[in-house]
């Protein structure tokens, strides 16, 4: 059987469902194929369950440290099943809300494994023996956890992030391979829940895609929390035996613990789906697109984690909306073409303790792009709310010499909540003197952002800027 739609989307994760919702709003008929659950990695195995785990971890730390504030509490038990039930309840509520939105949008959801095929010269998604032909096709099949050569993920002693969210019990000790965002978030949560953790990262610093000042500060904070750190050394191999797993590092040293978490990034899910056979050009496994997210075959787009760049849910949402509006424009439903999504404007947050929130260029990248830059680091020690929260950290600003702010890098408890303002400053190419007159409420951590701009505009208040 063949069914025809304006738009057929393969994958109902952050990117796919955002595209479906926006396309439906524009009056396009939409079919969305999903082999698992609407919401994809972010909702079921990523952002939401990990942030629920991290929130439980934060509560445990708050209780444990309560006596520092005169509130004496003891943590009797960490009930992992209870934490998982709490996370599942959050996920289920969001899933049911999302399913309702998709239903209200009159989007045809096709359950099953889809594959790209050619039907009478047109591309279609085949599910079992049905073909869904679209005037436009959107590839949104997402990504999977990568592994390393020499490491076999057995789901028992050596696990990935999917397994880590379903553990029957917490290990007493764990090695996290990979100090990127997923690695540092699990390391942070597990440490708060009582696990002895060591993070191994091949690059010189944790969170290596961030400005090195952030990595250095995170390492200092993690060491204070007694999280072991091995940076600048690659993994040679990993062997599970009995009740332990042993990691051999490239420098010949060995680490042995109860569990190993592979957190070395995620690969695009493009193999075995008929993409290459249909003529869709891949580069290093990712779908090769232009800045308008067009794949190499006509009327076919790719988005989200399938497209090389930061693998983040909000980038997927933005891609999905962009592609829907592009199709809306091409079919005469929208008069103006949408603006492409710029990776450099996408904010990045790691929800470890301390949190990291950044947008724009690192100092090194800004120097490479613009030559002369000015930087200012505002220490959270000068911020009242951060003192109350007992957090250390900073806001680092980078501006083009006498020009706009091109990078904002923050570390400290709860700085994720500051990223909204930071992203506007970066996106609107504001100068420090544009931000300085805005009065920030006291005592908030937002004041730190305001004061950093005051200082960079040459009128520091609670800093030595
Ligand atoms: P996905 O969400 O992976 O969706 C792809 C969908 O396609 C899936 O539902 C899959 O089942 C379906 N699919 C694949 N192949 C087929 C097929 N052949 N037929 C039918 N369906 C198919 N991002 C953030 O922004 N913030 C965070 O805090 C954050 N935390 C994360 C924590 C973890 C542990 C992980 C793993 C990821 C995290 N991410 C986070 C990243 C985020 O989850 C992804 O960037 C986002 O989900 C990508 O969306 P997507 O639509 O491209 O792909």
């Amino acid at each position: 059987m063949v069914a025809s739609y304006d738009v057929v989307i393969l994958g109902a994760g952050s990117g796919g469902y955002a595209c479906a919702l926006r396309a439906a709003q524009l009056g396009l008929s939409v079919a969305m194929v999903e082999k698992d659950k609407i919401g994809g990695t972010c909702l079921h195995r990523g952002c939401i369950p990990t942030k629920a785990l991290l929130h439980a971890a934060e509560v445990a730390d708050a209780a444990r440290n309560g006596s520092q504030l005169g509130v004496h509490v003891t943590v009797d038990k960490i009930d992992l099943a209870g934490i998982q039930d709490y996370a599942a309840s959050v996920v289920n509520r969001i899933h049911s809300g999302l399913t309702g939105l998709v239903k209200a949008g009159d989007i045809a959801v096709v359950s099953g494994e889809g594959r790209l095929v050619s039907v009478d010269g047109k591309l279609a998604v085949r599910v079992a023996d049905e073909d869904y032909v679209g005037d436009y096709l959107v590839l949104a099949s997402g990504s999977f956890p990568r592994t390393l050569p020499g490491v076999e993920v057995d789901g028992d002693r050596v696990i990935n992030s999917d397994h880590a969210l379903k553990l029957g019990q917490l290990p007493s000790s764990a090695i996290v391979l990979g100090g990127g965002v997923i690695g540092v978030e699990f390391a942070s949560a597990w440490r708060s829940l009582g696990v002895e953790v060591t993070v191994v990262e091949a690059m010189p610093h944790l969170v290596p895609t961030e400005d090195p000042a952030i990595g250095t500060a995170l390492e200092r904070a993690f060491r204070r929390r007694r999280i072991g750190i091995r940076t600048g050394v690659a993994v040679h191999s990993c062997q599970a035996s009995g009740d332990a797993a042993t990691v051999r590092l490239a420098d010949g040293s060995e680490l042995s613990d109860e569990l190993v978490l592979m957190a070395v990034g995620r690969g695009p899910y493009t193999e075995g789906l008929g993409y290459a056979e249909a003529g869709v050009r891949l580069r290093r496994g990712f779908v090769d697109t232009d800045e308008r997210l067009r794949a190499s075959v006509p009327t076919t787009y790719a988005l989200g984690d399938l497209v090389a760049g930061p693998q983040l849910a909000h980038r997927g949402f933005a891609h999905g909306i962009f592609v829907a509006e592009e199709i809306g424009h091409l079919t005469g439903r929208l008069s103006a073409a949408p603006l492409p999504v710029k990776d450099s404007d996408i904010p990045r947050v790691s929800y470890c303790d301390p949190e990291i929130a950044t947008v724009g260029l690192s100092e090194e990248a800004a120097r490479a792009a613009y030559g002369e830059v000015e930087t200012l680091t505002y220490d959270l020690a000068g911020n009242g709310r951060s003192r109350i929260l007992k957090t250390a950290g900073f806001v680092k600003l980078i501006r083009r010499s006498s020009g706009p702010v091109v990078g904002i890098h923050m570390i400290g408890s709860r700085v994720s909540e500051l990223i909204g303002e930071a992203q506007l400053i970066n996106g609107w190419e504001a100068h420090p003197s544009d931000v300085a007159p805005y009065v920030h409420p006291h005592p908030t951590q937002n004041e730190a952002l305001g004061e950093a701009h005051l200082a960079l505009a040459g009128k520091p208040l609670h800093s030595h800027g």
Side-chain angles (χ1 to χ4, degrees):
M1 206 197 92
V2 176
S4 296
Y5 291 84
D6 294 326
V7 186
V8 175
I9 303 171
L10 179 53
S14 310
Y17 83 70
C19 186
L21 290 173
R22 186 67 187 121
Q25 284 164 11
L26 293 172
L28 293 153
S29 63
V30 183
M32 181 164 63
V33 178
E34 173 55 55
K35 65 178 179 178
D36 191 359
K37 288 188 199 147
I38 296 177
T41 305
C42 167
L43 179 54
H44 301 285
R45 301 174 293 282
C47 325
I48 300 297
T50 52
K51 265 78 264 179
L53 178 71
L54 280 153
H55 181 56
E58 186 184 351
V59 171
D61 277 338
R64 215 174 273 127
N65 299 329
S67 58
Q68 293 173 15
L69 324 179
V71 179
H72 296 265
V73 189
T74 49
V75 178
D76 295 334
K77 179 180 174 185
I78 299 292
D79 168 17
L80 186 62
I83 295 175
Q84 288 167 344
D85 285 350
Y86 148 68
S89 73
V90 177
V91 169
N92 291 340
R93 286 190 84 131
I94 298 177
H95 182 239
S96 104
L98 186 56
T99 310
L101 278 179
V102 168
K103 201 168 169 195
D106 217 10
I107 294 159
V109 177
V110 181
S111 296
E113 187 146 2
R115 191 184 153 76
L116 209 53
V117 293
S118 183
V119 177
D120 301 331
K122 264 189 138 181
L123 283 186
V125 175
R126 179 168 294 166
V127 183
D129 53 3
E130 304 215 356
D131 289 336
Y132 296 85
V133 179
D135 289 341
Y136 295 90
L137 278 184
V138 180
L139 310 178
S141 48
S143 60
F144 63 91
R146 277 194 206 273
T147 185
L148 289 173
V151 181
E152 192 202 330
V153 173
D154 62 11
D156 182 25
R157 291 276 155 223
V158 185
I159 63 171
N160 61 32
S161 61
D162 294 352
H163 307 118
L165 289 166
K166 292 194 197 134
L167 286 177
Q169 60 181 52
L170 282 167
S172 59
S173 62
I175 303 163
V176 176
L177 300 184
V181 53
I182 294 176
V184 297
E185 287 190 356
F186 272 105
S188 181
W190 282 350
R191 182 69 202 118
S192 300
L193 299 175
V195 181
E196 299 288 337
V197 185
T198 303
V199 187
V200 179
E201 167 56 52
M203 302 296 280
H205 288 292
L206 295 183
V207 286
T209 55
E210 298 294 348
D211 190 291
I214 293 283
T216 307
L218 182 66
E219 287 155 24
R220 201 176 308 124
F222 268 17
R223 285 202 178 94
R224 269 201 305 272
R225 295 183 59 199
R226 288 186 287 114
I227 294 174
I229 298 168
R230 296 291 308 272
T231 48
V233 59
V235 173
H236 176 267
S237 60
C238 174
Q239 202 69 46
S241 62
D243 54 7
T246 302
V247 174
R248 254 189 73 211
L249 301 179
D251 63 5
S253 61
E254 282 190 356
L255 299 167
S256 201
D257 273 321
E258 210 178 306
L259 200 67
V260 170
L261 170 66
M262 282 296 296
V264 291
R266 294 177 65 82
Y269 191 26
T270 48
E271 257 184 45
L273 303 182
Y275 291 0
E277 295 84 336
V280 174
R281 193 172 55 240
L282 307 178
R283 185 177 294 178
R284 289 183 297 114
F286 291 93
V287 177
D288 195 14
T289 66
D290 62 11
E291 65 156 12
R292 302 198 80 76
L293 300 177
R294 286 178 292 216
S296 58
V297 291
T299 65
T300 303
Y301 294 82
L303 48 74
D305 283 7
L306 276 188
V307 179
Q311 293 177 316
L312 294 165
H314 42 285
R315 176 174 176 261
F317 296 145
H319 277 179
I321 293 168
F322 170 82
V323 168
E325 294 190 346
E326 182 82 340
I327 296 171
H329 174 62
L330 293 172
T331 54
R333 287 167 173 85
L334 282 179
S335 54
L339 289 176
V341 179
K342 271 166 56 189
D343 280 351
S344 56
D345 285 349
I346 292 177
R348 309 168 290 266
V349 177
S350 303
Y351 299 80
C352 45
D353 176 19
E355 289 184 344
I356 296 166
T358 65
V359 64
L361 301 177
S362 66
E363 186 175 337
E364 192 186 38
R367 282 190 197 286
Y370 303 118
E372 293 246 318
V373 299
E374 292 165 51
T375 69
L376 180 127
T377 300
Y378 178 86
D379 196 315
L380 291 186
N383 175 258
R385 192 67 190 273
S386 298
R387 286 276 187 189
I388 292 164
L389 296 172
K390 289 181 162 289
T391 185
F394 59 78
V395 174
K396 175 175 174 179
L397 302 182
I398 298 155
R399 74 181 295 196
R400 290 174 69 166
S401 197
S402 305
V405 174
V406 294
I408 302 181
H409 306 268
M410 301 179 283
I411 184 164
S413 299
R414 299 192 189 177
V415 295
S416 60
E417 302 301 338
L418 312 186
I419 196 66
E421 183 182 1
Q423 123 178 63
L424 294 183
I425 293 167
N426 177 71
W428 286 343
E429 298 178 1
H431 287 236
S433 55
D434 297 326
V435 183
Y438 285 95
V439 178
H440 289 75
H442 177 74
T444 60
Q445 285 183 296
N446 263 94
E447 270 184 304
L449 205 48
E451 291 219 15
H453 285 87
L454 274 172
L456 198 50
K459 32 188 200 173
L461 181 59
H462 299 101
S463 78
H464 303 282

